Amino acid sequence: TDPIPANTTFVSLSGTCIFTNCSFSAGTVSCLPASMPAGTTSTLTVVVNVNPDTLPGIGAISNTATVTWTDSDSTPGQQSATQTTTVNKQTDLSITKTDSPRAVLSGNQITYIITVKNNGPSTAAVGGVSVVDATPANTTDVSLTGTGPFATCTLAALHGGLCSNTTAMAPGEQATLTYVVSVVPGTPTGFITNTATIAASPANFDPNTTNNSVTIQTAVGPNADLELTKTATPAAVTAGGPAPGSGQITYTISYRNN
């Protein structure tokens, strides 16, 4: 018998010789009794998946298998073997950002949508994800609204590195922060630059830091809705047509400032 370890999920089993009659039920791998000739070896392979929210640590996963037998003299015996496995954690965190509008007049607002995601493969524990975003130059704070694990984040926390997840983030889970600023009146034509970063705690839990920072620039100054259209006449032509101009296409391009 082999009860699967805590914090794991059964995947599969396979066996040779006396272990071809094994099955998994109610959390335990069990094998039917069988005779085993002297000098032979039987192998049972059990595969389990470590759950994403398992806490890390040396020997965190422990598994014990037990064999019970009766020899030729009908003397029962039992032998057990235990194996421990160290568990590490990896939470590949990423951050992306959009701005609206893409161009803004001084005195108006910019809305940033910050998306944070745990790409796994492990669950990020409470407080294991933090987001930082300083107030951009030439702007003032208006509001901050978070979702899910970041629903309680405040502007002060966002700027001070204390905006962290209040609930665990499973692999694949994401949340958003909507950050609104107002461009200071009189700000000259140019760009408002904003950078947001994300970090794991402890830092070595994140194996990929290339996606932990995002910078976006919003143009400041007059903006316009520009429209480009094109028509072709005629809709069909004859290649190398005999009549003068019959193989020609005329394109008309129109550019409009709405």
Side-chain angles (χ1 to χ4, degrees):
T1 59
D2 187 357
I4 66 168
N7 298 311
T8 67
T9 303
F10 175 78
V11 177
S12 65
L13 65 85
S14 59
T16 63
C17 297
I18 67 168
F19 292 137
T20 57
N21 248 347
C22 299
S23 62
F24 174 75
S25 178
T28 299
V29 173
S30 303
C31 300
L32 296 176
S35 60
M36 185 173 184
T40 62
T41 300
S42 299
T43 302
L44 176 64
T45 301
V46 179
V47 180
V48 298
N49 190 66
V50 180
N51 297 338
D53 57 352
T54 302
L55 295 177
I58 298 174
I61 299 293
S62 179
N63 176 243
T64 300
T66 302
V67 175
T68 303
W69 72 87
T70 301
D71 63 18
S72 58
D73 295 325
S74 298
T75 302
Q78 190 177 76
Q79 187 171 356
S80 297
T82 299
Q83 181 67 50
T84 60
T85 305
T86 296
V87 175
N88 297 314
K89 238 183 187 334
Q90 284 192 347
T91 52
D92 177 17
L93 306 179
S94 63
I95 187 167
T96 57
K97 175 188 287 190
T98 61
D99 62 342
S100 179
R102 295 292 293 127
V104 64
L105 295 173
S106 63
N108 289 351
Q109 294 182 350
I110 304 172
T111 299
Y112 298 108
I113 305 294
I114 305 166
T115 302
V116 299
K117 184 176 181 180
N118 175 18
N119 296 296
S122 304
T123 297
V126 173
V129 183
S130 60
V131 180
V132 179
D133 193 340
T135 307
N138 295 313
T139 70
T140 57
D141 288 337
V142 176
S143 64
L144 176 68
T145 305
T147 66
F150 294 91
T152 61
C153 277
T154 63
L155 286 166
L158 181 67
H159 301 329
L162 300 176
C163 179
S164 301
N165 57 313
T166 56
T167 59
M169 291 187 71
E173 184 177 354
Q174 66 181 35
T176 60
L177 291 160
T178 302
Y179 176 32
V180 181
V181 299
S182 180
V183 181
V184 175
T187 298
T189 299
F191 292 92
I192 298 294
T193 302
N194 178 245
T195 298
T197 59
I198 190 171
S201 178
N204 63 343
F205 280 2
D206 193 341
N208 174 26
T209 58
T210 61
N211 54 3
N212 287 11
S213 180
V214 60
T215 298
I216 199 166
Q217 289 188 315
T218 308
V220 178
N223 56 65
D225 176 18
L226 305 178
E227 179 184 0
L228 179 67
T229 59
K230 176 188 260 189
T231 60
T233 305
V237 296
T238 301
S246 63
Q248 295 180 346
I249 306 172
T250 300
Y251 295 106
T252 302
I253 301 170
S254 299
Y255 192 51
R256 176 182 173 80
N257 180 1
N258 293 314

